[in-house]
Amino acid sequence: QVQLVEVGGGLVQRGASLTLSCVISDRTDRNYVMGWFRQAPGKEYEFVGCISRSGTYRYYGDPGKGRFTIDRDNAARTMSLQMNGLTLEDTAVYYCAATGQSGTYYTERDEYEYWGQGTQVTVSS
């Protein structure tokens, strides 16, 4: 069974930075393509970005281009999302996700089999 746990959400001021982490645990040493999604109140899930198994390739959705950075530490089984220049529009529940599919990256919600419980990020003015 694969479990994902996000940590690091909270309340921050506009313009601030925040880093989220995702810890993956399972009974194997299998590596996964991992991604971040978010859902703002009353809105659909939005793709934030993903990272390949080795960490070589990163692909970002529109919300985070130029402001967000995804990284991973396979030895520690963690993935991070560094967010800079946060705006009110970044307020959402952020989810990490993982897929065992063989491709390099995935951007659609239904391509990911495993999900964390989400962590709330609230940006205030």
Side-chain angles (χ1 to χ4, degrees):
Q1 184 176 359
V2 178
Q3 292 185 322
L4 303 175
V5 177
E6 303 96 338
V7 294
L11 174 65
V12 296
Q13 287 193 324
R14 183 171 49 191
S17 298
L18 187 68
T19 299
L20 306 181
S21 295
C22 175
V23 181
I24 185 167
S25 61
D26 65 2
R27 297 188 176 189
T28 72
D29 290 330
R30 186 181 185 187
N31 274 337
Y32 301 84
V33 173
M34 299 185 72
W36 288 98
F37 289 78
R38 70 184 189 183
Q39 187 177 32
K43 295 188 176 181
E44 298 290 324
Y45 278 83
E46 191 172 29
F47 172 72
V48 175
C50 63
I51 188 167
S52 64
R53 286 179 181 74
S54 65
T56 301
Y57 300 103
R58 297 165 176 81
Y59 189 85
Y60 295 97
D62 289 339
K65 285 180 179 176
R67 298 188 299 131
F68 294 177
T69 302
I70 296 174
D71 208 348
R72 69 188 295 165
D73 182 340
N74 284 338
R77 308 284 281 168
T78 61
M79 174 180 65
S80 62
L81 175 65
Q82 170 72 40
M83 302 184 288
N84 298 322
L86 287 164
T87 70
L88 300 179
E89 290 70 32
D90 293 316
T91 294
V93 178
Y94 284 72
Y95 298 88
C96 71
T99 176
Q101 296 187 79
S102 60
T104 301
Y105 68 90
Y106 297 91
T107 64
E108 300 297 324
R109 180 186 174 194
D110 60 7
E111 293 176 312
Y112 289 82
E113 305 98 280
Y114 309 107
W115 289 81
Q117 80 288 351
T119 186
Q120 176 71 47
V121 172
T122 302
V123 183
S124 69
S125 57

